[in-house]
Amino acid sequence: EAYAMDLVNVATVVASALTQMRAKLDAASVGVSRNYIAGPMVRADAEKLRQVFANVLDNAIDALAAIPEGRRIDCFIENGGNRASVRLRDNGCGMDSDDLVRIFNPFFTTKEKGTGLGMAISRKIVEAHGGTLAATSTVGQGSEFTITLPLPGPGA
């Protein structure tokens, strides 16, 4: 599959994913906090990257369904060491270590109607950008997904 790589602002791509998920976030009463002012520029296919962020947000909303109130997703964007990282953290149900290991496997899902492809595809997209997609989670406390992307070198 072809990637249309361009210099894009990471914060802009995160914002477009939040816009895409706005109706679902509102319907589920999930508050989003953006813990950044602007994002660094990365060389990426903005559409594909937006799909990754939307996927992670979608899973986070589902993980928050069991939480009676104060549902939230915190978004962080950081850059340092020639890399940009986006962290999306929810205070949802969390996952045990068994599920955490398996969430990036194709066809593994914890949802009734899930295909189990979202995270596998997301990781593939991030890796095609020279980046990494990782997750940490604690049962009953929530999960955090970190998407790390290389910053373009000088003259990019």
Side-chain angles (χ1 to χ4, degrees):
E1 203 174 346
Y3 282 72
M5 302 299 248
D6 214 342
L7 277 179
V8 297
N9 186 312
V10 176
T12 306
V13 183
V14 172
S16 67
L18 286 166
T19 301
Q20 181 187 336
M21 300 306 296
R22 174 58 52 208
K24 187 169 176 175
L25 286 161
D26 289 349
S29 305
V30 176
V32 175
S33 84
R34 303 186 194 201
N35 302 283
Y36 53 89
I37 298 161
M41 302 295 282
V42 294
R43 186 165 287 285
D45 182 321
E47 278 301 293
K48 295 247 195 334
L49 213 48
R50 178 175 59 86
Q51 189 186 330
V52 171
F53 296 138
N55 232 319
V56 174
L57 290 165
D58 193 32
N59 284 353
I61 295 165
D62 292 340
L64 286 159
I67 308 301
E69 57 186 12
R71 298 173 187 162
R72 43 184 293 134
I73 298 172
D74 288 298
C75 306
F76 303 86
I77 299 177
E78 288 136 2
N79 58 317
N82 302 328
R83 305 183 80 66
S85 67
V86 177
R87 292 189 292 123
L88 299 168
R89 185 173 73 200
D90 67 67
N91 62 344
C93 58
M95 290 173 278
D96 63 29
S97 52
D98 289 349
D99 282 356
L100 193 59
V101 174
R102 293 155 70 199
I103 53 166
F104 297 110
N105 294 353
F107 308 115
F108 174 76
T109 183
T110 56
K111 303 181 198 181
E112 279 177 42
K113 295 192 172 72
T115 60
L117 289 173
M119 281 293 121
I121 291 168
S122 294
R123 175 171 267 184
K124 204 174 131 197
I125 291 171
V126 174
E127 288 176 349
H129 284 82
T132 56
L133 171 55
T136 58
S137 191
T138 307
V139 172
Q141 288 180 28
S143 303
E144 179 170 298
F145 285 81
T146 304
I147 296 99
T148 308
L149 299 162
L151 291 173

